[in-house]
Amino acid sequence: MTDQSSLPIGPRVIVALDLASADAALDMARRLDPQRCRVKVGKELFATGGPLLVARLRSMGFEVFVDLKFHDIPHTVAGACRAAAADGAWMLDVHASGGRRMMEQGAMRNSRRQDNRRRHRQESTMLLLESLDQMSAR
């Protein structure tokens, strides 16, 4: 049986803002209700909108999943997780192929930060991208 106290509070739906520009993403977000969903900002959108886009989405009331699949040396991932949390990310992810130490460093930095609603940030781990074939995954 799952401990209900460990489940995230709030909307269970995450809308992927997989759009090419910050303006298009903000237009989409204006049609959504932050009480009913959270939003995801991936690599392409983050590259065009950056932390300012995350801040704008937060100002609209959204909790933002910053989906950048961090993967680097442990110290760098820890710093990236710390920066994403400081920028208001509700959830972020690291790529498991970086190893246990990298994931622990990222999780440690992430868990030390809390948002203004006093909820703990969420973390996810990407184990394997589904687009990789068996030879690429080795």
Side-chain angles (χ1 to χ4, degrees):
M1 181 171 217
T2 304
D3 176 11
Q4 295 295 315
S5 66
S6 67
L7 295 176
I9 300 170
R12 293 183 180 205
V13 174
I14 300 173
V15 176
L17 299 177
D18 290 336
L19 301 161
S21 73
D23 288 338
L26 291 168
D27 286 343
M28 169 74 86
R30 286 184 196 98
R31 292 183 247 159
L32 301 171
D33 180 355
Q35 298 301 313
R36 302 187 73 163
C37 66
R38 294 168 166 140
V39 295
K40 177 193 79 108
V41 173
K43 287 184 179 186
E44 181 179 0
L45 183 57
F46 192 84
T48 63
L52 180 59
L53 174 62
V54 174
R56 290 180 73 185
L57 290 165
R58 296 266 304 137
S59 74
M60 295 168 73
F62 289 102
E63 292 180 311
V64 183
F65 170 21
V66 178
D67 182 21
L68 300 180
K69 299 170 193 71
F70 294 117
H71 181 271
D72 208 312
I73 60 173
H75 178 77
T76 299
V77 168
C81 289
R82 182 178 56 246
D87 287 340
W90 158 74
M91 183 165 74
L92 51 89
D93 55 356
V94 297
H95 203 294
S97 67
R100 182 183 185 120
R101 187 164 167 250
M102 183 201 74
M103 291 186 299
E104 287 173 346
Q105 288 277 321
M108 181 177 63
R109 294 293 182 180
N110 188 34
S111 64
R112 288 184 183 167
R113 312 262 320 159
Q114 292 181 333
D115 68 20
N116 60 6
R117 295 183 199 161
R118 308 303 294 167
R119 288 189 208 152
H120 293 284
R121 297 204 189 293
Q122 301 297 310
E123 305 152 356
S124 69
T125 303
M126 178 63 59
L127 297 176
L128 187 64
L129 296 175
E130 63 186 55
S131 61
L132 292 178
D133 62 22
Q134 286 184 352
M135 291 301 290
S136 298
R138 290 180 190 190

